[in-house]
Amino acid sequence: SGKKVLIVYAHQEPKSFNGSLLKIAVEELTKQGCSVTVSDLYAMQFEPRATRNDIVGRLHNPEAFNYGVETWEAYKRGGLSKDLVEEQKKVQEADLLIFQFPLFWFNMPAILKGWMDRVLVQGFAYDLSKAYDGGLLQDKLSLFSFTTGGTKEKYAIRGDIRYLLWPMQHGIMHFCGVKVLEPHICYAPEKVSEEKRKEMLTAWSQRLKTLWKEEPIDCSPEWYFK
């Protein structure tokens, strides 16, 4: 299909279940003729903190540091740090962004949140007048693929897991204009049998085969809170 895929991967251990999900995605998508790039955040020792080191050269206002303003100004003049420029280039070229991670405290791991904080700067990913359907990263797809510690039943009792997806899918991706595919959730892989884990991996592989035919979710509050 000649599509370009960026997988942003946040797990410390290649032999983990997340590592297996990553491996399957790379193999399956490559087999389809996609070119696949992986940002393995832990292996890259990606810096999650948003600091003034992200700006090369002079600050817009050295008196009082405002990260949002400084990165916006730096983006416009080509003054962002090398690691951010590299990640932005990968995002820019991608047709599909896959985020692969274990859910920590109802959220993405800090290293992945730091990637979102630092890479998706104003001017590059959004502009206040151009957000959501008018966002700057239109015509891209995204997919959140993650594992949980708790079982599906536990999540059902405590409230829909979709609520947790609102800040990630809607507040970040949709805000930047990126369309969102149905999330891929592997519930409690550590608590199930080896056979069940194999089934989970097969299901992911199967889904990837027809991924490009999928319609994005309806990015409305109803999808998350109905």
Side-chain angles (χ1 to χ4, degrees):
S1 73
K3 301 257 191 216
K4 289 196 156 99
V5 183
L6 170 62
I7 306 177
V8 186
Y9 168 72
H11 198 290
Q12 310 88 329
E13 174 52 65
K15 295 196 286 287
S16 64
F17 192 78
N18 273 273
S20 301
L21 291 165
L22 170 69
K23 202 160 158 280
I24 284 169
V26 172
E27 283 169 7
E28 179 53 45
L29 292 164
T30 304
K31 209 188 291 175
Q32 292 175 19
C34 302
S35 69
V36 183
T37 304
V38 178
S39 284
D40 181 341
L41 300 183
Y42 285 101
M44 291 156 69
Q45 296 190 322
F46 186 81
E47 168 61 81
R49 293 169 301 179
T51 69
R52 58 181 66 212
N53 297 340
D54 294 350
I55 293 101
V56 178
R58 61 181 173 80
L59 289 180
H60 181 68
N61 176 8
E63 301 306 306
F65 184 74
N66 177 322
Y67 187 80
V69 170
E70 293 296 345
T71 48
W72 187 27
E73 293 295 337
Y75 177 74
K76 288 189 284 195
R77 65 176 168 81
L80 286 174
S81 62
K82 186 166 159 287
D83 59 339
L84 295 193
V85 174
E86 281 171 10
E87 293 307 298
Q88 288 176 346
K89 189 167 181 291
K90 294 175 194 174
V91 171
Q92 196 72 65
E93 290 176 352
D95 298 298
L96 166 67
L97 308 168
I98 296 179
F99 300 99
Q100 182 64 58
F101 58 97
L103 199 69
F104 286 179
W105 293 116
F106 276 25
N107 213 320
M108 59 183 92
I111 199 165
L112 178 54
K113 178 58 166 60
W115 185 94
M116 304 281 182
D117 293 349
R118 295 180 63 229
V119 175
L120 303 175
V121 305
Q122 186 170 355
F124 169 67
Y126 70 94
D127 215 325
L128 295 178
S129 61
K130 300 186 186 76
Y132 294 113
D133 294 337
L136 299 179
L137 299 180
Q138 282 173 57
D139 304 324
K140 295 185 189 302
L141 293 169
S142 62
L143 193 166
F144 286 83
S145 168
F146 59 94
T147 58
T148 67
T151 60
K152 193 166 188 174
E153 294 68 41
K154 284 245 168 71
Y155 275 98
I157 300 161
R158 294 177 189 156
D160 200 315
I161 198 160
R162 285 186 172 197
Y163 299 164
L164 319 182
L165 294 162
W166 172 256
M168 302 184 208
Q169 295 186 161
H170 181 77
I172 304 176
M173 286 297 116
H174 186 203
F175 186 80
C176 297
V178 179
K179 292 182 178 62
V180 180
L181 294 173
E182 194 77 40
H184 198 85
I185 309 171
C186 291
Y187 289 95
E190 287 179 2
K191 297 194 174 80
V192 300
S193 66
E194 189 54 41
E195 196 179 337
K196 192 87 187 78
R197 275 199 292 274
K198 283 208 177 84
E199 279 171 27
M200 285 181 179
L201 294 174
T202 306
W204 177 226
S205 172
Q206 287 304 116
R207 180 175 176 192
L208 289 162
K209 287 187 194 330
T210 55
L211 198 65
W212 301 103
K213 295 194 176 80
E214 289 186 20
E215 284 298 319
I217 65 167
D218 156 38
C219 265
S220 65
E222 288 71 36
W223 189 90
Y224 297 90
F225 304 110
K226 64 172 183 269

